[in-house]
Amino acid sequence: MKNDNTVIRVENLSKRYTLGQLHTNSFRDRVSCLFKKDRSQKERRKIWALRDVSFEVKQGEVLGIIGRNGAGKSTLLKILSRITRPTNGTAQINGRVGSLLEVGTGFHPELTGRENIYLNGAILGMRQTEVSRKFDDIVTFAEIEKFLDTPVKRYSSGMYVRLAFSVAAHLEPEILLVDEVLAVGDASFQKKCLSKMGEVSVQGRTVLFVSHNLAAIRHLCNQAILLEAGKVESRGDPEDIIARYLQSDSTDYAVQKINDSGSPFRFTKFWVEDQQGNVIKTTSTGKKTSFVLQYESETKIESLSIAMGVFDLYGCRVTHVSMLDRNMEINSSVKGQVKCVFEKLPFTAGRYVITLGAYSYGLPVVIQRHAVGFAVNDDDYFGEGAVKGGLRLGPVMVNHEWIWEEVSLSK
Amino acid sequence: MANQILIEPSKGWLRINFRELFEYRELILYLGWRDIAAQYKQAFFGLAWAVVRPIFSVAVYTLIFGKVAKLSSSGIPYPLFTLCGVVAWSFFSSSLSQSTMSLLGNTNLLTKVYFPRLVIPLASLGRGTIDFVVSFVMLLILMGAYRSLPGKEIVFLPVFLFMGLALTLGIGLFCSALSARYHDLKHAIPFFSQMWFWVTPVAYGLENIPNRFAWVFYLNPMTWIVQGFRWCLLGVGEMNWEKTLISGLFSVLVLTGGLLYFRKMESEFADFI
């Protein structure tokens, strides 16, 4: 390395995936593919998840990586964490790397909290002596003292996530790679995690941080990179990069294809319709708007219900709508389309992302985080021709009225 | 700086970084322990299963092949004779089934965390090791009960242990990598392992095999491992050193091949699995 200060140097990194790879997992497919005359299966589409990405990270920098779904953020982190190899290009890393692409990886439900701390510590690359030394801190941070010797399958989901994050938070690598793990847990715990991450950067460690949570990027990072379609679009001060990201309107909000979840149940397409049923790229506050979602499943799903969590670009959950709230379930379905109609769209101008969930008997079948998005233009929500509209500081408009009466001071 | 990592595209057959593997020894032990602990915590009888299984097998073989079919067991009490075979075989078969499922069962680890991928099939040998140790202790007890003390041949036992380990790990590596790539293999391997059992002299002695089928047994390296165990521990028969040496070399070859194949495939695991 030329410069002692540079801890990560990425040069012309590229990664190509072959689409449809997931579905040729059986030997039979492979053999039948060899004998096919048209070879159409062999010429599956190839896509570049990353294309000639180059950048450097200096010691102590906290670099945020932002970009839309499919821009290559996760692929980049996977390559830097050595989970998958690049197709072309190289990356050099100086220092002990800890990567946190998920919390609680390798947790076993049958094992107790204590056992899982040691197991997860080893998975994340900690020595047993290191875990023993930090054991009390981990337990205190996770607030699970009383349940240490209970199998984690009896934990509430909040406790589970707290314990998982706590182990990870006590990893002390020189370089930390983090992917969207803050999107878990309740709000107060998220706050605790954020401050823990802040501590990490104060200690002079280098952090690469992928997130949809722009507030977290702004709060934690001193540098940011905007990835677009597998390439570095720009790099600089987080404030500027976030602004660029919000301005760039290259996302096609017409009909959106949804990434394959790899599970037998798949959401396939999503689009937004206006009052007349036309597909629109942008909708407006207060207008009748429908979100249409198509899905298909390899197996019949009983008592299927679908839910959507709407998030603003700062990672804040604006609302959550579920078919279960309206007492609706679909029976024995393998393929279909659901429409969620907002008589009067409450969202204020801006862009939003939706996390999709499918449930069977109320239990999750597939959850796809930030799978699709939509854009809203400012409009007159109350339809009263308010010329000087309010500041629209919140993400939603709520129906309300103002009443004024004169009151004498003596009252 | 101490840790320099270079990430580059995979280039065919790669060298195995044994030093790094050694650094991850704790993870191998933890994962092996997790599989065993989780398995036995779920079971009502827990570890007792590891004791019950060999007893059951030995009882069935003794009854069917010893009492009903009246096959010879080289002058050794039939239970002792088969238990010695079961000791050698159980490590092989249970490791084979565990390692076949090992990568598929740890998909979340493979796609979320870095560690040398060899850790997973190595950790999957844990179950087989427990089965082996338990049945070996039972064999020692049974030998005591029959007043059958091992002769000086026992010094060769490590040779056969190593042969068994090399062969098992080698085949296990092939199976784990192949079943991660081709998921339907996980259905074929138990069947394959069952067939293998019947061409290995576990439940019956080699001398009972008609000459025209003997070649199948001779070609099977497990035959010479099982025979070796019996020779070392019970002093049964003459040692066929020539064939043992050949199967020993074959086992080492399988292990080398398995390591290289696994190493070649491992860069793809996260993308394919």
Side-chain angles (χ1 to χ4, degrees), chain A residues 157-391:
Chain A
S157 60
M159 283 160 66
Y160 186 93
V161 166
R162 284 208 302 274
L163 178 62
F165 187 87
S166 182
V167 180
H170 288 81
L171 196 68
E172 279 173 355
E174 290 154 319
I175 299 158
L176 184 64
L177 311 174
V178 187
D179 189 4
E180 203 66 79
V181 286
L182 297 170
V184 294
D186 55 37
S188 72
F189 189 70
Q190 277 191 23
K191 218 174 228 173
K192 206 168 162 186
C193 299
L194 277 173
S195 70
K196 184 85 193 170
M197 294 268 302
E199 261 172 53
V200 168
S201 57
V202 171
Q203 286 159 352
R205 280 187 237 141
T206 313
V207 183
L208 252 70
F209 180 43
V210 163
S211 184
H212 279 101
N213 186 333
L214 296 181
I217 298 262
R218 180 177 284 156
H219 180 73
L220 293 171
C221 304
N222 46 33
Q223 279 278 304
I225 278 183
L226 173 58
L227 278 185
E228 224 159 67
K231 290 180 178 154
V232 177
E233 204 275 331
S234 54
R235 171 176 187 167
D237 185 63
E239 211 56 63
D240 300 339
I241 298 298
I242 289 171
R244 266 193 102 101
Y245 172 59
L246 293 176
Q247 279 160 19
S248 67
D249 212 3
S250 60
T251 319
D252 188 7
Y253 279 137
V255 177
Q256 297 167 56
K257 282 217 174 91
I258 301 170
N259 286 344
D260 195 334
S261 61
S263 84
F265 183 94
R266 284 187 291 275
F267 289 113
T268 50
K269 276 181 202 164
F270 171 88
W271 67 88
V272 180
E273 279 179 8
D274 67 5
Q275 190 152 17
Q276 283 80 37
N278 304 316
V279 177
I280 47 170
K281 289 190 178 179
T282 329
T283 176
S284 309
T285 312
K287 292 280 170 299
K288 180 175 178 177
T289 309
S290 310
F291 297 126
V292 190
L293 187 59
Q294 289 190 342
Y295 63 87
E296 59 186 44
S297 173
E298 283 165 24
T299 52
K300 249 186 206 169
I301 307 275
E302 297 299 332
S303 289
L304 170 71
S305 65
I306 286 169
M308 300 194 286
V310 181
F311 294 79
D312 67 11
L313 292 181
Y314 296 94
C316 170
R317 192 196 302 263
V318 176
T319 189
H320 181 86
V321 290
S322 166
M323 282 169 57
L324 287 179
D325 287 338
R326 306 311 305 265
N327 253 332
M328 196 178 148
E329 279 179 331
I330 311 161
N331 270 319
S332 312
S333 176
V334 288
K335 207 170 176 182
Q337 169 177 317
V338 288
K339 201 184 252 195
C340 177
V341 186
F342 287 81
E343 207 48 54
K344 213 171 170 189
L345 194 77
F347 308 119
T348 54
R351 285 202 261 119
Y352 298 86
V353 287
I354 298 180
T355 292
L356 300 171
Y359 302 80
S360 170
Y361 298 104
L363 297 170
V365 178
V366 169
I367 306 284
Q368 266 185 291
R369 226 171 259 293
H370 307 304
V372 292
F374 63 95
V376 182
N377 281 335
D378 195 20
D379 207 333
D380 180 12
Y381 178 76
F382 297 98
E384 293 162 345
V387 187
K388 296 184 205 158
L391 288 172

Side-chain angles (χ1 to χ4, degrees), chain A residues 96 118 121-122 125-132, chain B residues 22-26 30:
Chain A
R96 190 180 160 204
Y118 279 97
M126 281 192 251
R127 284 282 158 78
Q128 192 180 349
T129 50
E130 198 182 338
V131 181
S132 302
Chain B
F22 183 70
E23 301 257 307
Y24 276 87
R25 62 195 180 278
E26 278 185 2
Y30 269 118

Side-chain angles (χ1 to χ4, degrees), chain A residues 396-409:
Chain A
V396 283
M397 301 293 278
V398 182
N399 214 354
H400 65 280
E401 272 172 63
W402 292 92
I403 296 162
W404 180 85
E405 54 190 277
E406 199 168 42
V407 182
S408 64
L409 282 171

